[in-house]
Amino acid sequence: MVTHAQLEKSEDIKKYFPVLSQAAADIGSPQIRNRGTIGGNIVNASPAGDLLAPLMAYDAQFKLFSTQGEVIVPAEEFFIGPKKTILEPAQLLTRIILPMPFEKTFGCWIKIGKRKALIIATITLALVVEMAKDNKTVKEVRSCLGSVAPTPIEIKEIRRKMVGKDFNQLDFNQLGQIVEDKISPIDDIRGTREYRKDVAKNIMINALEEITSARRSHK
């Protein structure tokens, strides 16, 4: 029942899960952010739901409750189609579980739409990169996108290309191309398939550049 406004303003969320805070700030209007909740955004399960890619990027789990008991499922297994989830009619989403990120974890949130407010996303990207103690070697990475497939998705090929590598020696253009190649967007009123694929590559490159800047300023 936590509202988008509470997520946006929470000092703990800003500190430990900044991508989630930034995504909440981009939702709808002040009225919507004050009334809408993270639980509603999740169970609505729109492929364009702003909080879904960030939750997947932070490796969230959802606790589902019914008279039969409780189950905990990873966010990436919860969404099965446009506005479709594994939630049974007798189940309630009661808790969102977020593992605490390690110290050298950096994130970037990018939302593309036709205007600056009250928009349904044309495409979103939540990139979370965990660095090793040397702040050079990539320890873990999750690159998750919305509005590019029937559900929010993680580009797992990015993880294979980045984990264990020196961040400074990564080919950002190649990584952006992987994102473009791996998504399967549709044509709709908010953008064509070709536009979304082109933008996906560019925002991945931009996100990696933002991570670079954040790493350099991190003491």
Side-chain angles (χ1 to χ4, degrees):
M1 298 300 293
V2 173
T3 67
H4 307 313
Q6 288 172 321
L7 280 176
E8 175 189 355
K9 295 169 185 174
S10 164
E11 292 303 320
D12 284 339
I13 298 296
K14 285 181 186 177
K15 180 177 180 181
Y16 297 109
F17 308 100
V19 174
L20 191 60
S21 174
Q22 292 160 24
D26 273 345
I27 291 176
S29 64
Q31 296 94 324
I32 291 169
R33 291 194 292 275
N34 283 327
R35 297 284 290 176
T37 65
I38 185 172
N41 205 244
I42 292 167
V43 298
N44 184 52
S46 165
D50 287 336
L51 301 183
L52 308 189
L55 286 165
M56 284 176 56
Y58 282 123
D59 209 16
Q61 295 180 308
F62 303 147
K63 182 177 283 189
L64 311 180
F65 174 82
S66 74
T67 55
Q68 305 302 310
E70 291 183 340
V71 294
I72 295 175
V73 298
E76 65 180 343
E77 294 178 12
F78 184 75
F79 308 103
I80 55 176
K83 299 205 169 187
K84 293 181 180 179
T85 73
I86 64 170
L87 195 68
E88 298 287 342
Q91 285 181 317
L92 289 172
L93 169 67
T94 58
R95 183 165 295 184
I96 296 111
I97 302 163
L98 290 165
M100 189 66 77
F102 289 94
E103 181 187 356
K104 290 185 172 62
T105 298
F106 305 94
C108 180
W109 162 254
I110 298 177
K111 177 178 179 177
I112 303 295
K114 287 186 173 291
R115 54 183 188 261
K116 290 186 179 295
L118 278 169
I119 56 166
I120 299 174
T122 302
I123 184 170
T124 61
L125 169 66
L127 178 65
V128 175
V129 179
E130 179 194 335
M131 304 300 297
K133 290 182 179 180
D134 62 6
N135 204 20
K136 291 182 180 179
T137 307
V138 178
K139 188 174 180 181
E140 182 58 281
V141 60
R142 291 177 73 90
S143 52
C144 301
L145 292 95
S147 286
V148 297
T151 65
I153 59 168
E154 181 194 358
I155 309 296
K156 296 184 184 294
E157 182 69 18
I158 294 295
R159 185 185 291 179
R160 289 191 282 269
K161 289 288 185 182
M162 289 182 63
V163 170
K165 305 290 176 55
D166 185 331
F167 193 94
N168 299 320
Q169 296 178 1
L170 294 172
D171 183 337
F172 289 180
N173 193 68
Q174 180 195 47
L175 294 169
Q177 188 63 52
I178 290 170
V179 171
E180 178 180 340
D181 293 342
K182 291 292 181 179
I183 64 174
S184 54
I186 60 170
D187 293 322
D188 65 15
I189 194 169
R190 296 187 297 278
T192 64
R193 179 177 185 274
E194 290 74 18
Y195 172 77
R196 282 187 166 100
K197 288 179 79 70
D198 191 43
V199 169
K201 176 179 179 177
N202 291 332
I203 62 174
M204 181 63 178
I205 293 169
N206 292 343
L208 289 163
E209 289 171 348
E210 280 196 33
I211 300 286
T212 299
S213 298
R215 285 178 50 245
R216 287 173 178 165
S217 62
H218 184 80
K219 295 179 181 178

